Amino acid sequence: MGIWQRLFSGMSLRGSVLASWSLRDIRAFVFRRQLSGAESENLKQRRTQIMSRGLPKQKPIEGVKQVIVVASGKGGVGKSTTAVNLALALAANDSVGLKLTIRPQLLKESKAIGLLDADVYGPSVPKMMNLKGNPELSQNNRMRPLLNYGIACMSMGFLVEESTPVVWRGLMVMSAVEKLLRQVDWGQLDYLVVDMPPGTGDVQLSVSQNIPISGAVIVSTPQDIALMDAHKGAEMFRKVHVPVLGLIQNMSVFQCPKCKHKTHIFGADGAKRLAQSLGLDVLGDIPLHLSIREASDRGQPVVFSQPESDEAKVYLRIAVEVVRRLPPPPE
């Protein structure tokens, strides 16, 4: 007997059983099914009430107008380098040498920018921003951010030794992130750029549910493996109702410094295809360039140390695209 015959045979058997029932039996069966459906609906409503009660209410960070999170589905795609240079680009104005062609008034005035390193296990901001030392405490017992290149920075890397691993379980990490969000005296900031840890775990969920986020930027290389996780990251932010401003395609192309031949080491236009499938825009393509890596390792990000370079101008254009897509700041 084939599979289709077995399926139809089972249906006819159930039909014959129902046919042998009395009208009273059928009515009782239908009533039980209706009661079960009503109970199921009540259970769903009850579960929704409990879940909504358990979610924390979003509370703005004191003094911060807008929060921009820079995220990635996986590590190793240049997310922290992008976050640092984006923060510097947001703080820059048109005097840095870039002739802005898209609404130049957006970056015409210098802005007050903060940079929060939310990667508790692998903080990178201290090295990239050339910062060391412990934060001082303000009069209201809050940590003061460390300042360099005009950017106010806070990171777990300021609170532990550089070579000391943070061996914590999830609850301790959540507590640390809460303190980095709430126990820092940021002053008055136009934008706070948050360098998120890779993935779609507890930290991402906690940050998204605790503070209002103006927009998320997803960083990925064009490689298929990275794009799979970038897709998950974008969908996660959508589920928690955080606007995704767009994708940044990092390490998009390598140009040989000698022969000038261009090679797409990680593939070509992968982020563009992903953006199209998600209904998003690509905010910019960042090349795989030696100067970006060397500048970051020296603690002198390329936007600050080489503002006239083509690499810096890419970040500056991305900053314009990010600001253009942000909602108006609260009054």
Side-chain angles (χ1 to χ4, degrees), residues 21 23-39:
W21 286 4
L23 181 60
R24 181 179 179 181
D25 292 332
I26 294 174
R27 285 175 176 172
F29 174 75
V30 171
F31 176 76
R32 285 197 300 270
R33 291 296 297 269
Q34 290 175 341
L35 182 62
S36 175
E39 289 176 345

Side-chain angles (χ1 to χ4, degrees), residues 56-257:
K57 292 184 178 180
Q58 288 186 338
K59 181 182 177 183
I61 301 174
E62 186 177 347
V64 177
K65 291 182 180 179
Q66 292 186 296
V67 177
I68 304 168
V69 297
V70 180
S72 66
K74 66 188 292 102
V77 297
K79 170 185 54 60
S80 295
T81 303
T82 303
V84 167
N85 282 287
L86 175 61
L88 287 163
L90 288 169
N93 55 30
D94 54 358
S95 66
V96 296
L98 175 67
K99 298 196 180 294
L100 300 172
T101 58
I102 305 175
R103 293 178 64 184
Q105 67 274 19
L106 290 174
L107 293 180
K108 196 169 185 179
E109 297 179 359
S110 295
K111 302 290 185 179
I113 310 297
L115 178 60
L116 173 60
D117 189 351
D119 193 345
V120 173
Y121 292 118
S124 303
V125 166
K127 183 174 180 60
M128 291 186 179
M129 291 295 289
N130 195 24
L131 287 169
K132 289 183 180 180
N134 296 322
E136 297 179 354
L137 293 179
S138 64
Q139 292 182 349
N140 57 2
N141 208 32
R142 291 186 177 183
M143 295 180 289
R144 286 198 177 101
L146 275 63
L147 190 69
N148 200 13
Y149 310 133
I151 307 296
C153 302
M154 180 52 63
S155 170
M156 181 57 65
F158 300 147
L159 307 176
V160 298
E161 294 294 331
E162 184 177 348
S163 59
T164 302
V166 177
V167 188
W168 289 349
R169 293 187 183 275
L171 289 175
M172 294 183 68
V173 174
M174 293 302 98
S175 177
V177 171
E178 178 70 16
K179 285 181 171 56
L180 290 174
L181 289 172
R182 303 293 182 191
Q183 299 300 315
V184 176
D185 186 0
W186 290 105
Q188 297 297 316
L189 296 180
D190 292 289
Y191 305 113
L192 176 63
V193 178
V194 182
D195 179 18
M196 300 283 271
T200 56
D202 290 341
V203 174
Q204 288 83 354
L205 194 60
S206 179
V207 172
S208 302
Q209 291 178 342
N210 277 281
I211 62 173
I213 299 174
S214 300
V217 175
I218 309 296
V219 181
S220 179
T221 65
Q223 187 179 6
D224 288 346
I225 300 300
L227 292 167
M228 288 170 56
D229 293 325
H231 192 165
K232 296 174 186 176
E235 291 295 348
M236 185 215 72
F237 283 116
R238 284 178 167 176
K239 285 187 176 182
V240 294
H241 309 295
V242 172
V244 181
L245 304 178
L247 273 64
I248 294 176
Q249 185 166 248
N250 197 25
M251 309 181 197
S252 58
V253 66
F254 171 74
Q255 185 177 31
C256 176

Side-chain angles (χ1 to χ4, degrees), residues 288-301:
L288 179 62
H289 202 282
L290 185 62
S291 63
I292 298 177
R293 194 273 301 168
E294 289 179 338
S296 297
D297 287 348
R298 288 196 310 266
Q300 297 180 344

